[in-house]
């Protein structure tokens, strides 16, 4: 990512313009969209994005990161980029996941304000000005929180679990309002410019650069074509990755479980000794002994499992697995000059 020098009240971008925190137009916007199974949606997404960005930004670009989509999304992206110089296509070697693809696009962004959104038009491009207006109030990151999410019950539950995990990891009050529809200042990304882990959580990485978060309620539309690639299992896995990859909370929880079971063991011992002293007999029966063994064995295996997750993270980090690998970038139309809105 190219360096950007912060100035009082704004940021100095590559174009030399300064993005004021209030009352000034946005000189440049980079929109980053990870693409997966969206060949039928991309033309409309590009058309609507261009009509919005051309009215609110002096310079803008659309970075489409193909996350090794199994359909013809890359062919569509290449065709669109061949006709529009403001589209910057990136093709990844394999499917790394939404957040890894976002990290790739964020690092390729050239302008002072970065917008991330999904490729299924559930995040309407027409809502971007609302987030920019909120950003100008002095925040560094603004989330577009849907008025009413257009997902199924299982997906909504998994999303709730993920946000609950994110709240513990981020330590930010706005964690319950996060979504993939974000607007943030590019200087925030400098905090994780050298991050190389295979497990990526963009919302956690953003907390490394700032604590000035906010949100704005936006419209959320139903997906027009296809189904979401995020299943219940993937969302739960993402939540676990956030907890074990960016927080020590699971280890603290395991320690608390161990402490509680120690107290439980002391209570059981007191009961056994008390019964012997009072009644002169020990606690009878195999079921009692077997139950105690199972309970304590389960607690030990639970703690070992959590420690194993952390050891796995260390193992993958030592293997130096990349966050992503780029296969190719298509050649933009005519020139590499990014589109400018009409004066």
């Amino acid at each position: 990512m190219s360096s950007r020098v912060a100035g009082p009240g704004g940021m100095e971008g590559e174009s030399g313009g300064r993005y004021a925190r209030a009352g000034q137009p946005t000189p440049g916007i980079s929109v980053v969209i990870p693409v997966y199974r969206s060949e039928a949606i991309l033309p409309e997404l590009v058309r609507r994005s261009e009509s919005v960005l051309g009215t609110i930004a002096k310079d803008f670009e659309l970075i489409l990161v193909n996350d090794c989509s199994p359909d013809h999304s890359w062919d569509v992206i290449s065709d669109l980029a061949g006709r529009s110089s403001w589209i910057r296509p990136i093709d990844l070697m394999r499917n790394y996941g939404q957040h890894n693809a976002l990290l790739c696009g964020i690092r390729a962004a050239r302008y002072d304000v970065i917008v991330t959104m999904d490729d299924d038009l559930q995040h309407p491009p027409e809502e971007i000005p609302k987030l920019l207006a909120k950003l100008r109030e002095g925040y560094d990151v603004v989330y577009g929180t849907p008025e009413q999410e257009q997902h199924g019950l299982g997906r909504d539950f998994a999303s709730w679990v993920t946000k609950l995990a994110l709240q513990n990891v981020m330590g930010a009050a706005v964690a319950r309002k996060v979504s993939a529809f974000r607007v943030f200042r590019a200087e925030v990304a400098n905090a994780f410019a050298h991050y190389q882990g295979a497990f990526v959580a963009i919302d956690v990485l953003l907390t490394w650069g700032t604590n000035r978060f906010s949100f704005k309620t936006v419209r959320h539309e139903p997906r027009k074509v296809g189904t979401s690639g995020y299943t219940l299992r993937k969302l739960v896995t993402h939540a676990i990755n956030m907890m074990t990859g960016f927080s020590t909370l699971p280890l603290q929880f395991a320690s608390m479980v161990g402490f509680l079971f120690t107290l439980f063991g002391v209570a059981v011992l007191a009961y056994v000794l008390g019964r012997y002293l009072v009644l002169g007999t020990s606690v009878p029966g195999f079921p009692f002994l077997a139950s105690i063994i199972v309970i304590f064995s389960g607690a030990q295996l639970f703690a070992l499992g959590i420690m194993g997750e952390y050891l796995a993270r260390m193992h993958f980090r030592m293997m130096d697995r990349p966050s992503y690998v780029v296969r190719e970038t298509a050649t933009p139309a005519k020139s590499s000059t990014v589109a400018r809105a009409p004066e």
Side-chain angles (χ1 to χ4, degrees):
M1 177 177 292
S2 59
S3 60
R4 298 171 175 84
V5 180
M11 293 192 311
E12 195 70 29
E14 289 182 348
S15 60
R18 179 159 300 186
Y19 176 40
R21 296 184 181 272
Q24 296 293 329
T26 306
I29 297 178
S30 297
V31 179
V32 179
I33 302 179
V35 177
Y36 190 78
R37 294 184 182 273
S38 298
E39 59 175 323
I41 309 175
L42 287 171
E44 182 180 356
L45 173 64
V46 169
R47 178 184 59 80
R48 290 172 60 178
S49 297
E50 182 177 19
S51 64
V52 172
L53 295 174
T55 62
I56 62 176
K58 179 181 178 182
D59 302 298
F60 57 89
E61 62 181 353
L62 178 63
I63 303 174
L64 297 175
V65 184
N66 180 46
D67 194 18
C68 199
S69 181
D71 60 3
H72 298 287
S73 292
W74 178 244
D75 295 332
V76 176
I77 292 173
S78 300
D79 179 65
L80 291 170
R83 290 183 279 135
S84 302
S85 62
W86 62 284
I87 298 177
R88 297 179 58 201
I90 299 176
D91 187 29
L92 300 185
M93 290 287 290
R94 68 173 182 85
N95 180 251
Y96 291 92
Q98 181 189 38
H99 287 253
N100 297 62
L102 278 173
L103 181 62
C104 175
I106 289 170
R107 286 175 173 170
R110 296 184 288 188
Y111 291 113
D112 294 334
V113 176
I114 299 175
V115 179
T116 68
M117 53 194 299
D118 287 342
D119 59 349
D120 53 11
L121 284 175
Q122 288 190 306
H123 302 149
E126 293 79 11
E127 299 292 272
I128 293 177
K130 292 183 180 180
L131 303 184
L132 292 175
K134 190 69 175 180
L135 193 73
R136 293 191 188 100
E137 295 180 10
Y139 297 103
D140 292 323
V141 182
V142 177
Y143 288 100
T145 303
E147 298 172 348
Q148 183 177 2
E149 295 191 13
Q150 305 289 334
H151 299 308
L153 182 61
R155 171 74 186 274
D156 288 341
F157 173 76
S159 180
W160 177 80
V161 172
T162 303
K163 291 179 180 180
L164 183 63
L166 186 60
Q167 185 174 21
N168 291 322
V169 175
M170 290 177 62
V174 76
R176 295 289 187 94
K177 302 294 184 180
V178 302
S179 74
F181 198 8
R182 317 171 185 84
V183 172
F184 58 92
R185 304 179 191 276
E187 61 186 357
V188 178
N190 291 333
F192 51 89
H194 303 291
Y195 178 78
Q196 296 295 331
F199 301 98
V200 180
I202 294 298
D203 301 298
V204 178
L205 295 180
L206 289 173
T207 65
W208 294 4
T210 185
N211 59 0
R212 304 176 71 175
F213 292 86
S214 186
F215 67 93
K216 182 71 175 180
T217 302
V218 296
R219 191 172 78 257
H220 192 259
E221 298 180 350
R223 186 183 177 102
K224 295 184 177 181
V225 180
T227 59
S228 172
Y230 259 120
T231 62
L232 175 62
R233 181 182 62 83
K234 288 184 177 180
L235 284 170
V236 172
T237 300
H238 179 59
I240 294 174
N241 286 338
M242 283 194 301
M243 296 290 285
T244 57
F246 299 92
S247 170
T248 59
L249 184 64
L251 286 176
Q252 295 171 353
F253 180 70
S255 299
M256 182 61 65
V257 169
F259 176 73
L260 293 176
F261 273 89
T262 299
L263 294 179
F264 177 68
V266 172
V268 171
L269 177 62
Y271 170 71
V272 171
L273 293 177
R275 181 185 176 89
Y276 178 78
L277 294 175
V278 174
L279 302 179
T281 59
S282 60
V283 178
F286 173 77
F288 176 80
L289 180 60
S291 299
I292 295 300
I293 292 175
V294 169
I295 290 174
F296 281 93
S297 297
Q300 291 172 348
L301 291 174
F302 173 76
L304 286 174
I306 291 179
M307 288 186 284
E309 286 289 334
Y310 280 90
L311 286 174
R313 297 294 182 272
M314 295 174 61
H315 173 66
F316 286 125
R317 181 61 64 89
M318 292 178 66
M319 289 172 61
D320 201 23
R321 287 181 56 186
S323 302
Y324 55 86
V325 178
V326 176
R327 181 185 300 275
E328 64 174 304
T329 58
T331 304
K334 298 182 181 179
S335 71
S336 59
T337 304
V338 179
R340 287 180 178 269
E343 299 293 340

